[in-house]
Amino acid sequence: MKKEFSLAFNEVLDDKQLPREVIVQAVQDALIQAYRKTVNASQAQLVQASIDDTTGEVKIFAEKEVVEDVMDERTEVLLDVARKYDPNAELSDIVVVESTPENFGRVAAQTARQMIQQRIREAEREAQKEYFSHLTGEIVNGIVQAANPHMITLALDRKAEGKMPRGQQIPGERFRVHDRVRALLLEIKDTTRGPEIILSRAHRDFLRRLLEDEVPEIYQGLVEIRSIAREPGYRSKVAVSALQSGIDPVGACVGIRGVRIQAIVRELHDEKIDVIEWNTDPAQFIAKALSPARVAGVYLDEAVDGNKTATVVVPEDQLSLAIGRDGQNARLAAKLTGWRIDIKSLTEAAADALHQAQANAKFAKEHADWVELLPQIEMILAKKSEGRPITPEEYTLLSRFVERLERGEQDRREAILDAQREERAAIEAQLPKAAFSIPLEDLGLAPSLAMKISGDGFSTIGDLLLQLKLDSSLIQKIEGVGPAAIASIQEKLDAFVFPEPEPEPEPEPAPEPQAEAPAEPEAVVAEQPEAVARVVEEYEEDEKPVELTEEDEKLLAQMQGGQAPEAQVPALSVDEVFARTEEQLLGKAKKVAKGSGPAEPDKKKKAKKKKYRELDYDPDEDVTYIPRRDEWEDLA
């Protein structure tokens, strides 16, 4: 029994891939319910189950009242029996004692089998949900279990099943049973039958994860994917940028001879992928996003409310390529850049510019050099409408004309936009700062009115107040908001009390600089090379007593006492004096006085062997000095 129970228990653990504690707890709960059902015990009574891991023996413990005479064995126990489990038990106490019925193992096995299976199944589903919740947004591998026109079922790890609806599949793909498939784990839904795992191969993040797997530079963070626009099964556009200088982001994604991008194309059922380099300039980014079409000019129109429109002018032969089949190329470029793109051919843009120039009275003043060329441009457009050929020079003239008009209009729009932004910033500065952090619900409007206003993008009181200051007609355009609603809103705003702004903490005063203690004077000596050299030479004469002049004694006293010389010349530190004097002792000193040339060598002194002497340093006085003759022996 001991070996059989252990083997069966371990087999359940391996099969269900669940922790040991989960299985034990499920079995104990099932045994408790089986005991309650067997003896008809109350749900309020405390019942505990114990399982021996080695023998598999089951014991049930229940709380009972200690009495002298047992009337109901389910809830009462004798005193002597109770004291076996609690020596301090007394009458009327509640004691937990063993209450395992006879043949309970066989009865429990029959009664609790279904409950144990249900508990284990619930624990298994919970473990699956916890495991796959960490893999949301990642690529998982599965084997096709079933395939029909509406859904594909995949077998995943931990005996889980994933579903791929038709809308999440790549058009044109066909799978058979037992095919191995890679897919993106899109989401996990809670259902009554457990977690439902939704997979996708059509999501743009599936392409993002494939690029991270195939391109090491993206996985390592050297190249960043800025945006992805995808129509699964047909074409995708990916904007990438390098985060480190010296790296070609497009070349890294394509690979040598396109091996990296071709591996992704094969995985996506031969889907075409355009990899372009992201650019901070919206005009250049939009021009690259329309590749493979060649763009003649991009002109931006950005409004204060966030609407962004780009007018793109392309040559005649590039118009169909820029638009793409069924507008696919232009649509993907708009998704990639976040701009609304209006594509025009060069002649169409020139015709619009000509009409605008003729209708605008200020054109002659602002573009006087183009007034004489308007008839020529009109003639070129007439030739185009008649189907006659246009020379390259005429195309160049049309391109220059469109560039002048469109660029001028863009500059004018940018000037208006800057003025609107300045006006908005000035009005916003006059409003309470706290208004932009208070939700619109705190204003106290009618629920229906607040819902209509908040649904149109006004989430705080500050947003609503700012728009009323700028242009209240925009709020009146909201469906269900009229003059009466505007008056009600204004009344609520006038009565609303905004909290006082907290005073900014005053900066702590900087500590006053303490006066530094005067530094001790260093031992210095006047820079008088000739006098020092002469004194040193006299000290080298060990045959004759040294005779010093009054100036020499004064110079030596200054060197020994560390006093500055009276002469107003640059002073030297002790180290510099030591180095210079040592250099002079070695015969390398030179006269640096103005106008003096190299000194003539003295033949008598040159023939005589020199005996070099060393300088001495007194640490107590912190000075360097030349020792007297009677001190040479002590130094030696």
Side-chain angles (χ1 to χ4, degrees):
M1 179 65 182
K2 170 183 176 181
K3 186 176 181 180
E4 292 177 358
F5 179 81
S6 299
L7 291 175
F9 193 81
N10 292 331
E11 183 179 355
V12 173
L13 292 179
D14 295 339
D15 182 54
K16 301 301 181 182
Q17 297 182 357
L18 294 174
R20 185 184 188 89
E21 296 77 11
V22 174
I23 301 295
V24 171
Q25 185 64 38
V27 174
Q28 288 178 351
D29 293 343
L31 291 175
I32 291 173
Q33 293 297 328
Y35 169 79
R36 295 185 187 276
K37 187 175 182 180
T38 302
V39 301
N40 197 18
S42 172
Q43 294 292 332
Q45 185 181 11
L46 175 63
V47 180
Q48 299 174 349
S50 174
I51 303 175
D52 193 335
D53 295 342
T54 58
T55 63
E57 183 181 359
V58 176
K59 292 183 179 181
I60 301 296
F61 296 87
E63 64 175 4
K64 297 182 180 181
E65 183 182 0
V66 181
V67 295
E68 294 180 355
D69 188 11
V70 176
M71 302 296 293
D72 188 354
E73 294 182 355
R74 296 176 301 176
T75 58
E76 297 176 346
V77 66
L78 295 175
L79 179 61
D80 54 348
V81 177
R83 286 184 175 177
K84 293 180 182 180
Y85 300 95
D86 186 1
N88 299 324
E90 299 293 342
L91 293 175
S92 302
D93 289 349
I94 302 298
V95 180
V96 177
V97 298
E98 183 181 354
S99 304
T100 308
E102 296 182 2
N103 299 326
F104 180 69
R106 181 182 304 173
V107 175
Q110 297 296 328
T111 307
R113 181 196 308 175
Q114 184 177 0
M115 184 175 297
I116 292 174
Q117 292 177 349
Q118 181 180 356
R119 290 296 180 88
I120 293 177
R121 194 180 300 114
E122 291 176 355
E124 188 176 7
R125 290 173 178 173
E126 190 65 28
Q128 289 177 356
K129 179 182 177 182
E130 183 178 359
Y131 174 77
F132 286 102
S133 62
H134 297 290
L135 297 178
T136 303
E138 302 293 337
I139 293 179
V140 295
N141 295 323
I143 298 176
V144 178
Q145 283 186 335
N148 57 61
H150 304 287
M151 185 177 297
I152 295 176
T153 304
L154 302 178
L156 306 176
D157 295 338
R158 293 180 174 266
K159 296 184 179 181
E161 289 185 354
K163 297 181 179 180
M164 189 187 303
R166 190 65 185 170
Q168 298 298 337
Q169 301 176 26
I170 297 177
E173 281 188 329
R174 295 294 182 267
F175 296 106
R176 296 180 180 179
V177 179
H178 303 307
D179 286 349
R180 183 170 292 274
V181 180
R182 302 174 67 189
L184 180 77
L185 202 159
L186 189 60
E187 62 176 335
I188 299 178
K189 297 180 180 180
D190 288 329
T191 62
T192 55
R193 302 181 60 183
E196 183 179 4
I197 302 174
I198 306 299
L199 305 176
S200 174
R201 287 175 57 85
H203 199 274
R204 61 181 181 181
D205 285 344
F206 182 56
L207 175 57
R208 183 188 299 273
R209 294 293 178 257
L210 289 176
L211 285 168
E212 291 177 357
D213 291 344
E214 293 292 337
V215 183
E217 288 82 358
I218 296 178
Y219 182 78
Q220 296 170 2
L222 302 178
V223 175
E224 181 183 5
I225 300 175
R226 291 286 185 168
S227 59
I228 296 177
R230 185 184 179 200
E231 291 190 1
Y234 299 101
R235 181 182 289 274
S236 297
K237 290 181 180 290
V238 183
V240 294
S241 64
L243 300 180
Q244 183 175 334
S245 59
I247 295 179
D248 179 15
V250 177
C253 295
V254 174
I256 300 175
R257 297 182 180 178
V259 292
R260 294 178 176 177
I261 202 67
Q262 286 301 322
I264 301 176
V265 168
R266 287 191 298 268
E267 179 66 31
L268 298 179
H269 196 67
D270 296 334
E271 180 178 316
K272 297 180 181 180
I273 302 175
D274 296 336
V275 182
I276 64 173
E277 185 175 1
W278 183 82
N279 200 306
T280 54
D281 185 4
Q284 296 184 16
F285 185 33
I286 292 171
K288 292 180 179 180
L290 287 170
S291 64
R294 188 176 70 256
V295 175
V298 179
Y299 311 101
L300 307 178
D301 181 10
E302 185 176 1
V304 179
D305 55 1
N307 295 327
K308 300 183 292 185
T309 303
T311 302
V312 180
V313 179
V314 297
E316 293 289 332
D317 57 343
Q318 299 290 313
L319 181 61
S320 60
L321 191 61
I323 296 175
R325 180 180 296 178
D326 298 330
Q328 184 185 78
N329 193 56
R331 188 165 55 249
L332 288 175
K335 292 180 181 178
L336 188 72
T337 59
W339 286 72
R340 181 181 176 274
I341 299 178
D342 184 13
I343 302 178
K344 296 181 180 180
S345 64
L346 181 58
T347 54
E348 182 184 358
D352 294 342
L354 179 63
H355 177 72
Q356 182 180 358
Q358 293 174 347
N360 189 2
K362 297 181 180 179
F363 178 81
K365 296 180 180 179
E366 296 177 355
H367 309 280
D369 53 337
W370 282 92
V371 175
E372 297 178 356
L373 298 177
L374 291 182
Q376 184 178 354
I377 293 173
E378 192 173 359
M379 181 190 65
I380 296 172
L381 294 176
K383 289 172 60 178
K384 178 64 179 177
S385 62
E386 294 173 1
R388 291 184 292 170
I390 300 177
T391 62
E393 291 78 8
E394 292 174 338
Y395 272 119
T396 303
L397 180 62
L398 292 180
S399 179
R400 290 172 51 199
F401 178 65
V402 171
E403 173 71 17
R404 173 66 69 89
L405 265 293
E406 292 290 346
R407 191 64 63 188
E409 285 297 316
Q410 179 176 335
D411 295 341
R412 183 185 60 82
R413 290 192 297 263
E414 290 179 356
I416 295 175
L417 183 61
D418 292 340
Q420 292 177 352
R421 287 172 177 170
E422 292 178 0
E423 180 185 2
R424 186 184 185 92
I427 295 177
E428 186 175 349
Q430 299 175 0
L431 301 178
K433 293 183 179 180
F436 294 91
S437 60
I438 302 176
L440 188 63
E441 292 78 8
D442 296 351
L443 188 59
L445 298 175
S448 59
L449 180 59
M451 187 178 300
K452 294 175 183 177
I453 296 176
S454 60
D456 208 65
F458 300 98
S459 58
T460 64
I461 297 179
D463 297 337
L464 181 60
L465 193 58
L466 179 61
Q467 188 58 48
L468 286 174
K469 295 287 185 181
L470 290 172
D471 186 10
S472 61
S473 62
L474 184 62
I475 300 179
Q476 292 186 8
K477 293 180 181 179
I478 301 175
E479 185 178 357
V481 179
I486 295 294
S488 175
I489 293 172
Q490 191 64 49
E491 182 181 353
K492 294 288 185 181
L493 289 173
D494 295 340
F496 191 84
V497 179
F498 294 98
E500 293 291 335
E502 297 182 0
E504 298 182 359
E506 297 182 359
E508 298 182 359
E512 297 181 0
Q514 299 180 356
E516 297 182 357
E520 297 182 359
E522 296 182 354
V524 294
V525 64
E527 187 176 6
Q528 300 180 6
E530 295 181 6
V532 174
R534 184 172 53 80
V535 173
V536 172
E537 290 177 358
E538 291 179 355
Y539 265 79
E540 292 175 353
E541 301 289 341
D542 54 355
E543 300 293 336
K544 300 178 183 180
V546 179
E547 296 180 0
L548 301 178
T549 63
E550 183 178 354
E551 295 180 357
D552 296 338
E553 293 179 352
K554 185 176 180 181
L555 178 62
L556 290 176
Q558 292 173 353
M559 294 171 61
Q560 295 177 358
Q563 299 175 359
E566 295 180 1
Q568 296 182 357
V569 293
L572 302 178
S573 64
V574 175
D575 296 336
E576 293 172 339
V577 172
F578 188 92
R580 177 166 295 202
T581 308
E582 184 179 16
E583 184 177 275
Q584 292 172 350
L585 288 174
L586 294 175
K588 296 181 180 179
K590 295 181 181 181
K591 294 184 179 181
V592 294
K594 267 191 174 181
S596 62
E600 293 291 335
D602 192 345
K603 296 181 180 180
K604 184 178 180 180
K605 291 184 179 181
K606 185 177 182 181
K608 187 177 180 179
K609 186 177 180 181
K610 293 185 178 181
K611 296 182 179 180
Y612 298 106
R613 298 292 185 263
E614 297 182 357
L615 298 178
D616 193 13
Y617 173 72
D618 188 356
D620 297 334
E621 300 294 338
D622 193 20
V623 295
T624 302
Y625 64 94
I626 302 175
R628 297 189 301 273
R629 179 178 291 277
D630 55 353
E631 294 180 356
W632 289 113
E633 297 179 358
D634 297 339
L635 292 175

